[in-house]
Amino acid sequence: MLTIKRVPTVVSNYQDQEETASENSEAGCGSNCLGNCSLPVSKLPLYQITKDKVDLTEEASGEEPRMSFLHDLLLGQWEDRMNRGLFRYDVTSCETKIIPGEYGFIAQLNEGRHLKKRPTEFRIDQVLQPFDENKFNFTKIGQEEMLFRLDDSKSPSVVAINVSPIEYGHVLLIPRVLDCLPQKIDHESFLLALYVAKEAADPFFRLGYNSLGAFATINHLHFQAYYLPLPFPVEKAPISRIVTVKGYQDTEVIISQLLNYPVRGLVFEVGKSLRDLSDAAASSCICLQDNNIPFNVLISDCGRRIILFPQCYAEKQALGEVSQELLDTQVNPAAWEISGHIVLKRRKDFEEASEEYAWRVLSEVSLSEERFQEVKAYVLEAVGLQKPILEENGIIQEEDSLDKLPALEAQRVVQNCTVQH
């Protein structure tokens, strides 16, 4: 059994407590948790996802996209919780800088994320583990940490704050929260994440997913999301098209691989059907988790692009193959870090951060070329139910992918964050 010790991220103020009783027992059992008796009677706002909107070609010709209601609801509720003092620190006061270099890696100094926590042992050699109700899970968070529901079922999908935010608007998307699903990708939940990305209608709003063994620390199905008004370095990396496959709705899904980036990864893109894109990417994730391969996912470009990173950093760490110098930085390379937004906990590391340093840290995450080719074969087999219609080997430069999207108002930029160029 392989294990590592790391300081767990505190995502809820109730993470180290038993369910906290509320003085007001007017509804349910009176506790402040999300237990079965409490959640259905809570007064959470309901935002109904429009799931029949799967066409990604709806573009306003030359017009700026309108700010979506989901965008306004999420940020309005998030700022309300910030004003109520529910976060462990003020993320808007964190220093951020763009590291000089070709890719523009983004470094943030966030000294509050690891304070007053002891390292915990995590098993990292099993991507799929059964849900354990005795460990912390999202049914134990306080209702005041919840922002809204996405449906009115008995086990709704919900959006909650992360009380240790990395950026402005940092939230958790928890599919079917009361079903107590383990951290395991399924088609329905993955499609929900893409719907949320599409309806937020903001290219600076991305979602991320970390499997067990790839720095997820809570074995209860969830995605993370936040706003960052800068392009992620991985979004600027060139790609090489591997194959174009035909989806079930007769639309093309393009699968490519990253080039000249420190972490090897696969990119899924589609011109029209959100469902076909979701099916291809989710099938690939399911294939990796069934083969016990840890991975991270970035959902960007309003749900049009999915980047899949199989990784091995935690395994190397458990085997003693990561240098003590890198371990001392306490960088946990999950979806955000791998995509190029690196959270540093020591001022020394922040001030000395360079593109060479970022490249060295992230290179430790990547599979070897030989192993990556094996994993790529698994993925192509996983999407084999869809007919391959074109094989290419051309290099496509995507450095202006975000520039193609109309600029949105800077209203969501972290106002008090120092950005150094």
Side-chain angles (χ1 to χ4, degrees):
M1 182 172 70
L2 291 179
T3 63
I4 62 171
K5 284 191 174 183
R6 59 161 291 195
V7 176
T9 301
V10 178
V11 299
S12 168
N13 292 316
Y14 296 80
Q15 200 157 329
D16 293 324
Q17 306 174 20
E18 293 295 326
E19 297 170 0
T20 304
S22 168
E23 296 179 0
N24 182 4
S25 57
E26 204 173 293
C29 65
S31 76
N32 198 36
C33 66
L34 302 188
N36 285 294
C37 61
S38 298
L39 184 60
V41 292
S42 66
K43 298 179 180 179
L44 287 172
L46 171 63
Y47 180 88
Q48 195 79 42
I49 289 284
T50 312
K51 293 187 177 180
D52 58 342
K53 289 186 178 179
V54 295
D55 191 342
L56 291 174
T57 60
E58 303 168 351
E59 304 242 347
S61 51
E63 297 180 5
E64 290 189 2
R66 295 180 181 177
M67 209 66 75
S68 75
F69 178 71
L70 176 60
H71 170 278
D72 293 339
L73 175 64
L74 188 153
L75 290 186
Q77 292 287 314
W78 192 88
E79 289 181 351
D80 171 75
R81 302 316 192 271
M82 182 172 66
N83 293 334
R84 287 160 60 178
L86 296 186
F87 296 105
R88 297 174 70 234
Y89 49 80
D90 180 9
V91 71
T92 66
S93 66
C94 293
E95 293 178 64
T96 295
K97 69 178 180 181
I98 300 174
I99 299 173
E102 179 183 357
Y103 282 91
F105 288 99
I106 305 157
Q108 182 195 90
L109 177 61
N110 194 326
E111 297 171 294
R113 276 202 124 222
H114 72 302
L115 299 179
K116 301 178 181 178
K117 290 292 295 180
R118 293 180 179 178
T120 302
E121 194 166 53
F122 292 95
R123 184 171 185 177
I124 53 87
D125 59 351
Q126 278 194 336
V127 174
L128 298 180
Q129 299 177 28
F131 182 86
D132 185 349
E133 64 180 8
N134 296 315
K135 293 184 178 180
F136 175 78
N137 61 75
F138 295 116
T139 68
K140 299 180 180 182
I141 69 175
Q143 290 197 28
E144 73 278 6
E145 296 175 350
M146 297 242 304
L147 302 185
F148 51 88
R149 298 170 288 160
L150 295 173
D151 59 76
D152 57 359
S153 67
K154 292 183 179 179
S155 181
S157 298
V158 299
V159 174
I161 61 171
N162 184 332
V163 301
S164 300
I166 289 177
E167 262 300 346
Y168 185 69
H170 193 165
V171 295
L172 305 168
L173 168 63
I174 310 165
R176 294 151 45 205
V177 59
L178 296 182
D179 287 351
C180 297
L181 303 170
Q183 187 72 343
K184 174 184 177 181
I185 289 292
D186 62 79
H187 284 278
E188 179 184 350
S189 300
F190 201 91
L191 182 59
L192 173 65
L194 294 198
Y195 281 133
V196 170
K198 181 179 185 295
E199 294 212 10
D202 189 331
F204 298 131
F205 180 76
R206 290 91 162 183
L207 288 94
Y209 175 87
N210 305 313
S211 78
L212 297 181
F215 294 97
T217 56
I218 297 173
N219 187 21
H220 190 173
L221 181 57
H222 65 287
F223 296 80
Q224 301 196 40
Y226 61 70
Y227 290 87
L228 181 69
L230 293 168
F232 273 57
V234 73
E235 294 171 330
K236 300 188 288 184
I239 59 177
S240 175
R241 184 173 301 182
I242 303 169
V243 65
T244 303
V245 296
K246 183 168 288 189
Y248 296 110
Q249 299 185 30
D250 204 33
T251 59
E252 295 179 3
V253 178
I254 300 170
I255 304 176
S256 307
Q257 70 182 61
L258 293 170
L259 297 178
N260 304 325
Y261 194 74
V263 185
R264 295 178 176 89
L266 297 170
V267 182
F268 298 78
E269 298 173 289
V270 72
K272 186 176 181 182
S273 170
L274 196 72
R275 185 175 295 276
D276 282 344
L277 176 62
S278 179
D279 284 344
S283 294
S284 301
C285 294
I286 292 168
C287 172
L288 295 189
Q289 63 195 18
D290 287 348
N291 283 280
N292 203 33
I293 300 170
F295 63 93
N296 308 90
V297 174
L298 179 73
I299 299 171
S300 70
D301 199 4
C302 300
R304 295 180 180 87
R305 172 183 284 189
I306 298 163
I307 307 177
L308 173 61
F309 303 98
Q311 72 138 293
C312 59
Y313 187 90
E315 179 184 358
K316 285 183 177 179
Q317 183 177 343
L319 295 173
E321 297 175 359
V322 179
S323 71
Q324 190 60 46
E325 179 188 2
L326 291 183
L327 294 177
D328 287 345
T329 66
Q330 299 185 51
V331 171
N332 299 311
W336 307 124
E337 288 78 10
I338 294 172
S339 300
H341 188 201
I342 303 172
V343 179
L344 299 169
K345 285 112 177 172
R346 303 186 305 186
R347 177 164 290 280
K348 172 181 179 291
D349 297 326
F350 178 76
E351 292 177 348
E352 296 177 358
S354 64
E355 182 161 283
E356 179 185 1
Y357 163 80
W359 199 277
R360 187 157 58 94
V361 170
L362 296 184
S363 293
E364 292 288 345
V365 177
S366 185
L367 300 184
S368 67
E369 178 62 28
E370 180 181 4
R371 180 59 174 151
F372 179 73
Q373 293 303 324
E374 293 175 359
V375 170
K376 186 168 70 173
Y378 291 155
V379 167
L380 294 180
E381 183 178 353
V383 298
L385 292 177
Q386 300 159 329
K387 300 176 183 178
I389 62 172
L390 179 65
E391 299 237 2
E392 300 186 26
N393 198 26
I395 297 175
I396 307 166
Q397 204 70 19
E398 291 288 353
E399 294 192 3
D400 60 348
S401 57
L402 282 180
D403 296 336
K404 296 174 184 174
L405 299 170
L408 300 179
E409 297 176 16
Q411 180 179 357
R412 65 201 113 351
V413 177
V414 181
Q415 298 296 331
N416 298 324
C417 193
T418 303
V419 178
Q420 302 172 0
H421 294 270

